[in-house]
Amino acid sequence: MSTTRFSIALASIPHASIARSLAALPLLVAGICFDASAQSAAGPAPDPAPVHPELTGVYEQFGGAPGMAALMDEFMAILLEDPRMRPFFEKVDHDRVKRQLAEQFCAILGGGCAYSGRDMRETHAGFAIDRADFNALVEDLQIAMDRRGIPFRAQNRLLAILAPMHREVINR
């Protein structure tokens, strides 16, 4: 993805802090892949799939359940092709990761799904995940969303909701 495209995407996110908006997603996905037993001492973790029923129309722009499943297929293929992300995903249950991401995105976007995955803090506690990992995953997700024809504004609305999760997952 070009720097220009990425900058334009950031400029259109309707939240005050773009940096926070971009700090969550790669680690969010990586969190579904790994088990970690340590619980952070910072208190209970925020809900990894806060429901936003006002975004049901955005969920429909993703194509509903069939569109979300197709997006996850595309996304996983891109992650496995990307040498920056492959180590996080090559030895995990791809079907489980795709299913839980689809659940999480569906729940967040008011699609009526329930997320069955773990919270982000617990999942990432034992891993050295940094902002570069996050940036690579965001790029890959945006490529997948572009390939699936998801409107740019809908992409940004999802990324903006996922953004605060970076506090639970970046640990290096």
Side-chain angles (χ1 to χ4, degrees):
M1 165 175 292
S2 74
T3 303
T4 303
R5 164 75 165 92
F6 194 64
S7 297
I8 291 168
L10 293 178
S12 63
I13 294 177
H15 286 268
S17 176
I18 298 302
R20 284 196 328 237
S21 294
L22 293 177
L25 198 55
L27 307 173
L28 166 80
V29 174
I32 293 173
C33 299
F34 303 113
D35 288 320
S37 59
Q39 178 69 25
S40 172
D47 183 355
V51 177
H52 291 268
E54 72 278 10
L55 296 179
T56 300
V58 176
Y59 179 66
E60 294 310 317
Q61 291 178 326
F62 276 76
M68 195 61 73
L71 173 62
M72 292 309 136
D73 288 340
E74 184 78 33
F75 187 34
M76 183 59 69
I78 292 167
L79 291 168
L80 293 171
E81 292 169 4
D82 185 340
R84 303 167 299 175
M85 292 287 93
R86 186 179 313 114
F88 290 104
F89 295 97
E90 65 188 346
K91 295 181 181 178
V92 300
D93 181 344
H94 299 154
D95 290 334
R96 181 176 61 89
V97 171
K98 292 186 301 186
R99 182 181 63 251
Q100 288 186 331
L101 278 173
E103 285 176 2
Q104 185 178 39
F105 290 9
C106 172
I108 288 169
L109 295 175
C113 302
Y115 174 63
S116 63
R118 298 179 301 267
D119 75 69
M120 299 297 102
R121 188 179 297 151
E122 177 183 352
T123 300
H124 297 91
F127 301 94
I129 300 171
D130 63 21
R131 197 168 298 271
D133 298 324
F134 160 76
N135 290 338
L137 189 127
V138 169
E139 289 174 19
D140 290 347
L141 179 60
Q142 287 182 312
I143 291 166
M145 291 188 292
D146 285 344
R147 287 183 184 172
R148 296 295 311 151
I150 296 167
F152 192 67
R153 182 166 165 75
Q155 293 179 30
N156 287 339
R157 302 240 359 234
L158 174 65
L159 291 174
I161 299 227
L162 294 173
M165 293 178 197
H166 79 280
R167 294 179 202 104
E168 285 81 53
V169 293
I170 292 178
N171 54 32
R172 179 173 77 148

